[in-house]
Amino acid sequence: ILQLHHVTIGKQVFYAGFLVAKSVNGGPIIVERLGKLDFAGLHGNKEAREACLKAYVCSYEKMWRLLRESNDKQKGIAICDLNGIGLSAMKYVSLIREVSSLSVANYPEMVERVVIVNAPSMVSMFWKVIKPFLPERTRKKVKIMGSDFYDEVVPLVEGGKASLPKFLGGQVSDEVICPAKKVSQVPELLQ
């Protein structure tokens, strides 16, 4: 029952989801809305944080499964929307590190490309600092963009605009991709 409870919570506070469409190369596309993540709520609620981390692992396990079903050489694409993230998120860097360490440690070669969109200037500055310490193959996968991302993202997706969520300039409902509710909006956490 506790596991099911975590799944219910995780599905509501989680900030990522898969597009129905695939990449033009045939791989799955995961979309993360890190700017919608309730950092304060997750920081202050251990149960919600654990549920969100489990949802994160489940999403990458799903990508892993989709890749294995399609072809051994197939890789996915990750689109990370930072719209809404600001300097206040720096207070929760340990949470960001905890989440990102899960994917780096357990799923290092699953993505062919990571496109970070709506990135504030501080992200570009941070990237310039850490980029020299990363392997070249990792550096080549990452593209950091501001709000001028549309022409870069649309060609990556089968079906283009019709397959993208509205928050990325497309036509698919945002709620279908990732609800990303505030912790205080999840009834199961208020009981």
Side-chain angles (χ1 to χ4, degrees), residues 78-152:
I79 301 171
C80 185
D81 181 13
L82 299 185
N83 187 30
I85 207 163
L87 288 174
S88 63
M90 296 310 287
K91 293 190 293 189
Y92 308 105
V93 74
S94 63
L95 179 61
I96 296 169
R97 191 178 308 124
E98 187 176 5
V99 170
S100 62
S101 69
L102 287 171
S103 61
V104 171
N106 299 297
Y107 312 102
E109 293 298 322
M110 284 191 359
V111 294
E112 67 180 84
R113 189 161 209 191
V114 176
V115 182
I116 300 171
V117 301
N118 290 314
S121 58
M122 69 174 182
V123 172
S124 295
M125 290 186 300
F126 181 69
W127 177 246
K128 286 179 185 175
V129 171
I130 66 163
K131 188 175 176 180
F133 301 103
L134 297 172
E136 186 168 343
R137 73 175 186 272
T138 302
R139 292 192 307 254
K140 286 181 177 180
K141 290 180 183 183
V142 178
K143 177 89 175 190
I144 298 177
M145 307 183 75
S147 59
D148 59 342
F149 63 84
Y150 188 76
D151 290 339
E152 180 82 19

Side-chain angles (χ1 to χ4, degrees), residues 41-98:
L42 292 175
H43 181 73
N45 188 310
K46 184 179 177 184
E47 183 179 13
R49 183 174 56 254
E50 288 175 4
C52 189
L53 290 172
K54 286 180 182 180
Y56 188 81
V57 169
C58 287
S59 71
Y60 272 84
E61 285 294 322
K62 178 179 179 179
M63 181 182 268
W64 185 259
R65 190 176 65 254
L66 291 170
L67 290 170
R68 293 301 134 249
E69 288 171 2
S70 62
N71 142 1
D72 282 342
K73 296 180 182 173
Q74 195 61 257
K75 292 189 178 194
I77 293 177
I79 301 171
C80 185
D81 181 13
L82 299 185
N83 187 30
I85 207 163
L87 288 174
S88 63
M90 296 310 287
K91 293 190 293 189
Y92 308 105
V93 74
S94 63
L95 179 61
I96 296 169
R97 191 178 308 124
E98 187 176 5

